[in-house]
Amino acid sequence: MMDIEDWVRRHGRIAHSSDLIRAGATTYGIRTAIASGPLMRVRRDWIALPDCDPELLLAARSGARLTCLTAAQRLGLWVAGDAATHLSLPAHASRHNIPTDAVAHWAVGPVAVSGPWLTEPLENVLVQVAECQPFESAVVVLDSALRLKKITAGHLERIATRSRRFRAARAAATAFSDSGIETIPRLRLARIGIALRQQVVIDDHPVDGIIGDRLILQIDGYGPHSSAEQRRRDLRQDARLTLMGYTVLRFDYAQIVGNWAYVESTILAAMAQGLHLAA
C-alpha cells in the first residue's frame, strides 16, 4: 500500500490530490492518512505536511500561485523591491482569500495555466514583475534571468504580450550583469546619455563596465560573505589597469543603492577631465 505521507514529504511537502491519485493513492487512502496525521488538507485538494514551505502553503490556502518578485526570488533571480508575498489569482477568486499583507495580481499572463501549480511559469513571472515593479527593478530581474540562463534572449523576445511595461523592460535587458548593482548604473547612466559597456575584456579579465575608451567602473561586491583573497584580486586588477593607462572608479553596493548622487557626480567629474577619452 502506498505510503502517502512519505510520498508528500519527498515531493515538496505539499501535493495536489490529483497528483497523489495518479501516483497510486486512493481517495479513501488520502482521507485515512489525513485522519491519522500529521498530513492536513488545505482548502479542498491540496495535502500538506505542517513543515511545508510557508509561501507555498499560503498560495494553496489562497487558491493562488506565487508570482512576481516572490516567484523570481525563489528562482534565484536578483530582485530589488518589497518583501510582500505576491500572489496571482484567477478572475473569479474571492478577494476575502487574499491576506492583508500580500500583493494580488489579477492579470492573466502570456502562458495560460490550468493545473495544480503553486508557482506561475517563468514567462508570466517576468511579465508580472514588469507590470508591478518600477522600470529599473523590472530590468534587474530580466537581466538576472538572462545572466543565469533561466531564459534565452530569443525566448524573451518571443514572449507575446500586450504589456508595454514588459516590452520596455525587455528592450533594456542584457545578459551582462552579474547582479542588480551592475544593472542599476547602466540604466541610470543611460538616462543621462552615457553609454556603459559591460563585461569588456581587458588584460584577459572582464571589467564590470567601461565608459568611452579609458574610464572603468568596477562594482565592489566585497562584504561579510566575500573573501579577503577576492578583495586582493580586485585590487591587483585595479593596479594593473591603472598601469595600463586606464582610470578605475570602484563603487560598492551602499554607494550605488544609497548614494547614487555621489556615484554620478564622481563619474561626471572624471568625464569632465577627459578621463574617458583615448590618450
Side-chain angles (χ1 to χ4, degrees):
M1 187 174 66
M2 178 180 177
D3 187 333
I4 293 175
E5 180 185 334
D6 178 66
W7 193 93
V8 173
R9 179 171 285 105
R10 288 187 291 105
H11 290 79
R13 291 178 163 75
I14 185 166
H16 198 269
S17 57
S18 64
D19 291 328
L20 278 165
I21 289 171
R22 275 196 293 271
T26 64
T27 302
Y28 173 77
I30 293 172
R31 286 202 304 266
T32 302
I34 292 171
S36 61
L39 287 171
M40 57 184 179
R41 189 180 295 277
V42 183
R43 285 175 72 89
R44 189 176 75 176
D45 294 319
W46 289 99
I47 314 301
L49 286 162
D51 62 345
C52 83
D53 187 310
E55 289 183 334
L56 295 178
L57 187 60
L58 175 62
R61 283 176 172 159
S62 304
R65 297 188 182 95
L66 301 175
T67 191
C68 196
L69 295 184
T70 304
Q73 191 165 39
R74 293 173 67 88
L75 287 167
L77 304 184
W78 209 98
V79 302
D82 59 76
T85 302
H86 291 252
L87 298 174
S88 173
L89 294 107
H92 62 270
S94 170
R95 295 180 183 271
H96 298 296
N97 293 336
I98 308 169
T100 55
D101 58 346
V103 177
H105 293 254
W106 300 93
V108 177
V111 180
V113 183
S114 58
W117 292 15
L118 291 176
T119 303
E120 286 282 358
L122 175 62
E123 295 87 347
N124 291 0
V125 169
L126 298 179
V127 172
Q128 287 163 344
V129 164
E131 282 291 303
C132 174
Q133 297 298 304
F135 173 77
E136 189 176 276
S137 298
V139 178
V140 163
V141 174
L142 267 62
D143 272 12
S144 183
L146 288 168
R147 182 67 170 174
L148 295 176
K149 294 182 170 53
K150 300 291 185 180
I151 195 168
T152 65
H155 186 170
L156 191 67
E157 185 62 33
R158 289 189 295 271
I159 293 176
T161 175
R162 295 180 179 179
S163 170
R164 294 179 181 176
R165 292 170 64 92
F166 173 75
R167 293 200 300 267
R170 177 173 63 188
T174 76
F176 298 127
S177 296
D178 285 329
S179 69
I181 55 169
E182 293 183 20
T183 296
I184 291 170
R186 186 186 82 235
L187 297 177
R188 293 184 181 177
L189 291 172
R191 209 162 53 207
I192 57 174
I194 299 173
L196 178 69
R197 292 178 291 136
Q198 294 179 278
Q199 301 301 321
V200 175
V201 176
I202 302 172
D203 189 30
D204 294 329
H205 295 83
V207 298
D208 294 332
I210 184 168
I211 297 170
D213 300 301
R214 292 195 303 136
L215 182 58
I216 291 174
L217 267 60
Q218 297 283 53
I219 310 303
D220 194 349
Y222 186 75
H225 304 293
S226 301
S227 68
E229 178 55 33
Q230 176 62 52
R231 177 63 168 172
R232 285 191 289 270
R233 281 199 298 268
D234 291 342
L235 294 175
R236 284 196 296 268
Q237 185 184 19
D238 290 354
R240 285 197 306 270
L241 292 168
T242 300
L243 292 173
M244 293 171 66
Y246 293 92
T247 296
V248 181
L249 300 179
R250 183 172 288 274
F251 303 104
D252 65 12
Y253 177 93
Q255 290 170 319
I256 290 171
V257 174
N259 193 7
W260 176 253
Y262 163 74
V263 175
E264 184 177 292
S265 64
T266 302
I267 293 170
L268 291 176
M271 294 180 70
Q273 298 173 52
L275 297 179
H276 62 302
L277 303 175

